[in-house]
Amino acid sequence: MKKITGKILTYDNEFNGILKDGKNIYSIPNVIYNETVEVDVEGKPLRAKVLEKSTNRITPPCEIYYQCGGCKLLHIKYEEQLKMKTELVRKLFADRFGKGNLVNSCLGMEKPCNYRNKNQVVFGNHPKEKLISGFYAENSHKIIPFKTCYVQDEISDKIVGKIKDILIKMHISAYDEDRKRGLIRHVMVKRSFKTKETMVVVVTAEENFPGRSNFVKAVIAQCKEVTTIVQNINTRSTSAVLGNKENILYGKGYIIDELCGKKFKISSKSFYQINPYQTEVLYNSAINNAGLKSTDTILDAYSGVGTIGLIASSKVRKVLSVEIEKSAVIDAQFNAKINNIKNVSFFNDDASNFIVNLANRKERMDAIIMDPPRSGSDERFLKAVLKLVPEKIIYISCNPNTQVNDLKLLMDKYEIKYIQPVDMFPHTAHVENIVILTRK
Ligand code: SAH
C-alpha cells in the first residue's frame, strides 16, 4: 500500500485524471480536474478517495457505474463533459497544427440519456436466479446484472428483461464459457426510434434451439414492439458477440430506420451508428459545411451501409462509395433502391486499394468524405488523396488521436478550415470529430 495525496492536474486522452508524485505520473479513473484526492497507487484497480470535491461532480445515475466502466464520465455534469471533449480536441489541434482557435464547441444532446439504438446484453447462469443478464465488468468476463441502463433504450431493456423471464420459464440455460455448455450467449435488441421497428437477435452457442417456436410465440405475445427475431449462431470461443450463421425466426430479418429524411436498413451484423439523434447532427454538420456543388463527383470512403454518400447524393452529380464489408455493401445497394437514389455507385473493396486505383487512372474527384474506424486510415490512402487532389476533404473520425496523425500527411497541400467535435456517445470517454480541409 502506498498512499499519495494531491490535486488532479489535467486529463489523459481517456479522461482519466493525472496525478503527479515527484517523477511518477498516475492515471486515475472517476475523478475530476482540480479535485484533491487520496490514492493507493499500488491498488488494482486504482481507486481515489476524493478529499475535495469539484462543483462539477454529481452522483452517477446508474447502479453499476463503478463496475461497468462503459460510461466513464457519468460522475460529471453534462455541460462539463462537453467542455472537456471540446478542450481535448482543441489541445490536439493546437499542439499539432496551431489551429486550436478553429475548434467549435462540441455539439451535445439536449437530453443525453437512452440514446443507444442497439442494446447488447450477455447471459449467464446463476445458482439462485437461474439466469442473469447484464454487462461484462470492465476488462473481465464477470457478468454485472442490471435492469435498466442510463444510455440504452428503455423499451429495449424491458424486452431483454421479458426474454430473460421467458427463458427461465422454458428452462433454457445460458451458455457457460468455461464448461462450454448451455445455449444462450447474448441478446441484442436494435430499434429504430423513428419507425419503431424492433429487432431481437438471440445469439446461441449452437444451431439446435429446442423450444424455438414456443420461444418465438412467447416473445411476440409479450413484447408487442418486436417486429422481427433473428437467431445468430456463434460456436466460437472468442469474445466476438456474433457468429456468421443466422436463421430468421420471425418477420423480415431486419429493421428500417430513417436518418436525414432517408430510409436505411439495419441488419444484425452491419455497422450502423448507435446514436441516431446525434448521427443526424454529425452528418448535417459535415455535409452542410462541405460546400458541395451540384457538378461535384465525390468519394464516400469507409461508407458502411452507405449512409453519408446517400444523404449527400442530392447535393452532387455523382457519388462513389467504398466499403470493405460485403454485407454492408449489399445493404447499401438496398438502401439506394428504397430511397430511389440513382447517382451513387457502390464498391466492395479496401478503401486504400480503391483510391490508389482511382489515382492511377487520374480520375477527377471534387471532394472526399472519409470516415475510417478508430485505427484511422493509412499512408497509401492518404498518398493517393494527394495524387487525386480533391478540392475538399471531409474527415469524420471517432478517434481524434489517429485523425491528427493522418491529417499531418496532408498538410503540405491542404489547409484546415473547420473543426467540429460532436458528442455521439454522451457519458463515455469517446468523442467524434469532423475536420474539413480545402486545397491550398
Ligand atoms: N460511414 C459509415 C461507417 C463508418 S464506420 C457510417 O457513418 O455509418 C467505418 C467503416 O469502415 C465500417 O463499415 C468498416 O467496415 C469500414 N472499413 C474498415 N476498414 C476498411 C477498409 N480498409 N476499407 C474500406 N472500408 C473499411
Side-chain angles (χ1 to χ4, degrees):
M1 180 117 96
K2 186 182 171 215
K3 277 191 183 169
I4 65 166
T5 302
K7 252 193 196 308
I8 298 300
L9 303 172
T10 180
Y11 297 107
D12 66 13
N13 282 338
E14 271 106 49
F15 295 114
N16 296 302
I18 297 294
L19 183 65
K20 274 193 188 160
D21 176 34
K23 276 189 190 148
N24 297 323
I25 296 177
Y26 302 99
S27 281
I28 317 286
N30 318 111
V31 296
I32 304 180
Y33 169 69
N34 236 348
E35 284 185 330
T36 304
V37 301
E38 180 189 87
V39 186
D40 168 13
V41 292
E42 284 170 356
K44 262 186 194 162
L46 290 177
R47 284 268 179 261
K49 184 171 162 200
V50 183
L51 303 177
E52 265 174 57
K53 280 186 188 171
S54 163
T55 52
N56 289 315
R57 181 171 283 278
I58 53 167
T59 307
C62 169
E63 291 168 356
I64 58 166
Y65 166 73
Y66 288 102
Q67 295 108 304
C68 162
C71 298
K72 281 185 80 165
L73 309 183
L74 209 49
H75 63 291
I76 307 176
K77 281 183 187 159
Y78 187 57
E79 304 87 82
E80 180 64 13
Q81 293 181 25
L82 293 176
K83 282 189 199 153
M84 287 160 62
K85 291 184 180 181
T86 307
E87 178 54 22
L88 183 140
V89 176
R90 193 202 61 75
K91 191 165 184 313
L92 268 177
F93 281 81
D95 291 353
R96 289 296 179 93
F97 309 114
K99 295 283 184 196
N101 59 327
L102 281 184
V103 177
N104 295 316
S105 296
C106 186
L107 297 172
M109 294 183 78
E110 227 166 86
K111 273 181 131 185
C113 55
N114 307 115
Y115 57 79
R116 286 185 64 102
N117 57 13
K118 176 175 110 171
N119 293 14
Q120 197 168 285
V121 175
V122 59
F123 273 69
N125 299 305
H126 190 273
K128 264 201 209 133
E129 302 180 26
K130 295 188 182 138
L131 275 188
I132 49 168
S133 61
F135 292 140
Y136 284 130
E138 200 176 3
N139 304 323
S140 96
H141 270 202
K142 183 170 178 262
I143 299 173
I144 310 293
F146 71 91
K147 280 212 172 70
T148 55
C149 163
Y150 190 70
V151 298
Q152 293 198 156
D153 174 53
E154 286 173 301
I155 291 175
S156 302
D157 277 342
K158 276 192 192 139
I159 291 171
V160 173
K162 285 189 183 158
I163 289 175
K164 189 177 79 177
D165 293 343
I166 292 167
L167 292 169
I168 291 174
K169 248 196 193 146
M170 293 182 68
H171 304 288
I172 297 174
S173 63
Y175 178 66
D176 181 325
E177 277 184 326
D178 300 325
R179 295 196 193 130
K180 309 218 179 312
R181 269 202 306 229
L183 187 63
I184 308 294
R185 298 182 75 144
H186 299 266
V187 170
M188 187 161 86
V189 181
K190 288 189 173 185
R191 182 167 157 80
S192 164
F193 300 151
K194 288 257 172 72
T195 68
K196 313 291 181 207
E197 291 185 11
T198 306
M199 166 166 57
V200 168
V201 182
V202 185
V203 185
T204 58
E206 56 182 305
E207 184 156 13
N208 185 21
F209 184 167
R212 189 165 88 171
S213 56
N214 283 338
F215 170 78
V216 170
K217 268 187 211 148
V219 174
I220 303 162
Q222 292 182 41
C223 313
K224 297 288 178 217
E225 300 86 0
V226 173
T227 53
T228 185
I229 304 174
V230 173
Q231 177 192 6
N232 176 287
I233 300 126
N234 185 1
T235 55
R236 292 176 291 183
S237 45
T238 65
S239 57
V241 172
L242 296 176
N244 293 324
K245 188 156 192 221
E246 290 195 342
N247 296 319
I248 298 173
L249 305 185
Y250 172 71
K252 57 190 174 189
Y254 62 86
I255 58 171
I256 297 285
D257 188 29
E258 278 173 29
L259 282 177
C260 304
K262 303 256 179 328
K263 292 187 171 65
F264 294 99
K265 172 182 175 180
I266 305 181
S267 44
S268 63
K269 283 191 255 177
S270 49
F271 177 89
Y272 194 77
Q273 299 282 356
I274 54 94
N275 181 339
Y277 309 106
Q278 290 298 85
T279 301
E280 290 193 330
V281 172
L282 178 79
Y283 290 171
N284 285 333
S285 306
I287 294 168
N288 296 342
N289 288 290
L292 298 174
K293 295 196 285 280
S294 57
T295 49
D296 282 353
T297 297
I298 69 168
L299 173 67
D300 175 14
Y302 310 91
S303 56
V305 295
T307 41
I308 301 176
L310 289 167
I311 290 165
S313 66
S314 56
K315 293 199 183 303
V316 299
R317 192 176 72 86
K318 197 172 150 195
V319 182
L320 309 184
S321 179
V322 61
E323 160 64 42
I324 202 161
E325 283 292 332
K326 191 165 182 193
S327 65
V329 176
I330 293 169
D331 284 356
Q333 284 161 332
F334 179 93
N335 290 334
K337 236 191 210 153
I338 56 174
N339 290 293
N340 201 19
I341 293 171
K342 304 217 162 73
N343 61 338
V344 185
S345 314
F346 301 95
F347 300 90
N348 179 203
D349 199 352
D350 167 66
S352 302
N353 283 346
F354 184 76
I355 197 170
V356 165
N357 288 334
L358 286 183
N360 288 343
R361 291 203 302 268
K362 297 197 167 54
E363 299 237 5
R364 179 197 161 130
M365 219 37 71
D366 297 294
I368 293 178
I369 303 176
M370 53 191 287
D371 183 10
R374 289 189 66 72
S375 51
S377 185
D378 62 26
E379 215 175 302
R380 280 177 68 225
F381 186 97
L382 296 160
K383 280 194 172 151
V385 170
L386 290 174
K387 265 181 150 178
L388 283 168
V389 284
E391 213 173 292
K392 294 179 201 94
I393 302 167
I394 299 100
Y395 189 151
I396 302 175
S397 167
C398 56
N399 184 353
N401 296 299
T402 54
Q403 186 183 34
V404 287
N405 289 340
D406 287 346
L407 289 176
K408 226 171 174 183
L409 295 170
L410 301 173
M411 282 303 117
D412 280 351
K413 286 191 183 161
Y414 284 87
E415 207 173 340
I416 299 176
K417 281 286 158 125
Y418 174 85
I419 308 171
Q420 180 64 67
V422 179
D423 197 18
M424 294 290 283
F425 317 101
H427 315 297
T428 74
H430 297 290
V431 56
E432 191 93 8
N433 193 39
I434 306 166
V435 177
I436 299 179
L437 308 118
T438 55
R439 200 167 54 204
K440 279 185 185 163

